[in-house]
Amino acid sequence: MSDTSQLPLAVDMDGTLVHSDTLWEACLRLLAERPWLVLLLPFWLLGGKTAFKQRLSEHVRLDPQTLPYNQPLLEFLQAEKQRGRPLWLVTASHPQTANAVADYIGLFDGVLASDARCNLSGSHKAERLVETFGEGGFVYAANAAVDLKIWRRAAAAIVVNAGPGLTQRANSVTALERIFPRPGATDTLKTLLRAMRLHQWSKNGLIFVPLVLSHSWGATDLVMHTLLAFIAFGCAASAIYLVNDLIDLEADRLHHEKRHRPFAAGLLPLPWGIAMIPVLLVVAFTIASTVNSHFMLVLVIYLLLTTAYSLFLKPVALLDVLALTSLYTLRIIAGALAIDVPLSYWLLAFSMFIFFSLALSKRFSELYNLKQKPEGKQTARGYHTEDLPVVSLFGISSGYLSVLIMVLYIHDLQADSLYDQPLWLWPVAIAVLYWISRIWLLAHRGVLHEDPVLFAIHDRTSYIVALLVAICLLLAL
């Protein structure tokens, strides 16, 4: 095989240099920033793919700094540039996006992108490369089956993020200069499950609270209804988490932990996430239909509120935490309606105050972490780092009010009718007082996970408190 390492190297962008697809990214950014314009997407597409990209570029500008780049390929390109090899970015993306990426990377000698006349993909890209470098006068780095048309006319191929099948097909039409394997290719199912955030299903454990507090755990049919409600809520929640991940790509990539999420990191194609959302919703409502109509109604309200939170309420200070509080309380309401037991106003009041406190602790931790990076921005989702004291004040006060509500409940007649020894509920109130105080103490020390619920799942002390609470409740019975 002749040495091709001196020939110009043409590099594809979507799926190759970038683990994601910038066209899908632009559509999702439009959904996040101007959701009302999403209804126009089908009409824009009627004008052809080139016109579609042009219309998108008029409303959306992707930040090249936040895109998930293929680091091994990028390091290879840097080494090739240092030894003098010509590098070209060749992509079907709109010139605005292509030039922004090329300027940010700072390695390319030129850019070939789609224009008003032609969508630079497949055979069109092959012709443009031959016009620029001559037949067999270039090496092409890409990742998809459509690139076989280009590899046939290239001196060699660099196969990126592809499986063994495509690699063999590329090798059958041209020489292989190098292969960059797909990251995490053997863990696709695990990555899909991680994108669904199954660990977040723990929050849906609140659906079991009415079953436990109404002392109905001995009724098999009620337990089964609660279990079905839990699964339905889990599927619906996973669908919403996917929506959040898809429209928060840029923000997640700037976050020290969220940048590792599957879609933010480019470990999964964005269309997979879009396709999974309706599938999960169908499963959720199919299961919910076997519970009862009231539960289905709460599930609809939950989805509407979570969608409003994702699209509109998340950046609005205080309204965001009120929405999160309502979402937690809705889970308790759903659990009660699933087994048709009366809703306790004591329980609803307690849940509103304690979850308002926990939601504020989440925002407090985010701001605290942000404040530790003075070189970065000092605002996040409608809050400023200067708001830390007042956010703390609101959160601690709300947490202590939840304990007060519990103490008042202990002396309520309902407590006497449900419990033979209601005095054993006093240690429960003390345990909750200790736990909520500890959460805020850790938040002020900067060691609280930004999601206090997930922190509690991995916190040994929280398990000890939960065990003590369970023992006291049994003694109170």
Side-chain angles (χ1 to χ4, degrees), residues 109-403:
D109 298 286
V111 176
L112 297 178
S114 296
D115 54 32
R117 296 178 294 106
C118 144
N119 182 46
L120 202 65
S121 178
S123 56
H124 294 294
K125 184 184 288 188
E127 292 295 336
R128 184 74 63 85
L129 283 169
V130 170
E131 289 175 7
T132 306
F133 303 108
E135 192 79 36
F138 62 94
V139 176
Y140 182 57
N143 69 295
V146 69
D147 296 307
L148 288 166
K149 298 177 181 179
I150 305 149
W151 280 324
R152 285 190 179 94
R153 309 186 68 174
I158 294 180
V159 183
V160 185
N161 292 340
L166 181 59
T167 301
Q168 291 175 4
R169 293 173 66 188
N171 195 26
S172 68
V173 299
T174 190
L176 291 183
E177 182 178 310
R178 193 175 178 115
I179 299 172
F180 290 88
R182 181 189 304 154
T186 59
D187 298 322
T188 301
L189 178 59
K190 183 178 179 181
T191 307
L192 279 170
L193 294 176
R194 187 156 67 91
M196 291 172 58
R197 293 201 234 172
L198 296 184
H199 62 280
Q200 295 279 11
W201 284 33
S202 58
K203 297 177 181 179
N204 298 327
L206 293 170
I207 290 175
F208 288 91
V209 169
L211 179 75
V212 173
L213 295 184
S214 64
H215 310 159
S216 303
W217 52 77
T220 305
D221 57 335
L222 297 186
V223 173
M224 183 57 65
H225 275 197
T226 303
L227 184 60
L228 290 173
F230 172 81
I231 297 173
F233 247 81
C235 292
S238 288
I240 295 301
Y241 287 134
L242 290 175
V243 172
N244 287 339
D245 287 354
L246 291 172
I247 65 177
D248 281 347
L249 288 172
E250 183 175 318
D252 285 351
R253 288 167 184 159
L254 295 173
H255 193 274
H256 64 285
E257 290 184 1
K258 296 178 182 178
R259 61 190 176 90
H260 299 298
R261 288 177 176 174
F263 292 108
L267 300 179
L268 290 175
L270 298 180
W272 288 22
I274 296 172
M276 288 168 63
I277 293 169
V279 171
L280 287 168
L281 290 177
V282 168
V283 172
F285 279 99
T286 300
I287 296 174
S289 65
T290 65
V291 181
N292 60 53
S293 58
H294 294 105
F295 172 76
M296 286 188 67
L297 178 60
V298 174
L299 187 60
V300 170
I301 294 173
Y302 171 83
L303 288 170
L304 291 176
L305 183 56
T306 50
T307 302
Y309 171 77
S310 299
L311 296 179
F312 308 111
L313 301 179
K314 189 180 293 185
V316 183
L318 297 183
L319 280 183
D320 62 330
V321 289
L322 284 172
L324 289 174
T325 302
S326 301
L327 291 173
Y328 282 114
T329 306
L330 273 174
R331 290 173 166 93
I332 295 177
I333 295 173
L337 294 178
I339 59 176
D340 196 23
V341 297
L343 281 167
S344 165
Y345 292 105
W346 286 111
L347 177 60
L348 292 179
F350 170 80
S351 66
M352 286 295 292
F353 279 103
I354 195 165
F355 291 126
F356 187 67
S357 178
L358 293 177
L360 284 167
S361 72
K362 176 180 174 68
R363 290 293 179 260
F364 179 91
S365 296
E366 291 173 351
L367 289 172
Y368 183 93
N369 292 334
L370 193 63
K371 192 174 183 180
Q372 307 312 305
K373 302 175 181 178
E375 73 283 357
K377 62 177 183 177
Q378 297 295 292
T379 60
R381 292 183 176 177
Y383 297 89
H384 303 264
T385 52
E386 293 83 0
D387 297 331
L388 278 168
V390 70
V391 169
S392 173
L393 176 63
F394 292 161
I396 295 172
S397 301
S398 181
Y400 286 172
L401 282 173
S402 70
V403 178

Side-chain angles (χ1 to χ4, degrees), residues 1-8 83 85 139 155-156 175 177:
M1 182 187 74
S2 61
D3 182 19
T4 60
S5 62
Q6 301 302 318
L7 292 175
R83 70 180 189 84
R85 187 175 193 178
V139 176
E177 182 178 310

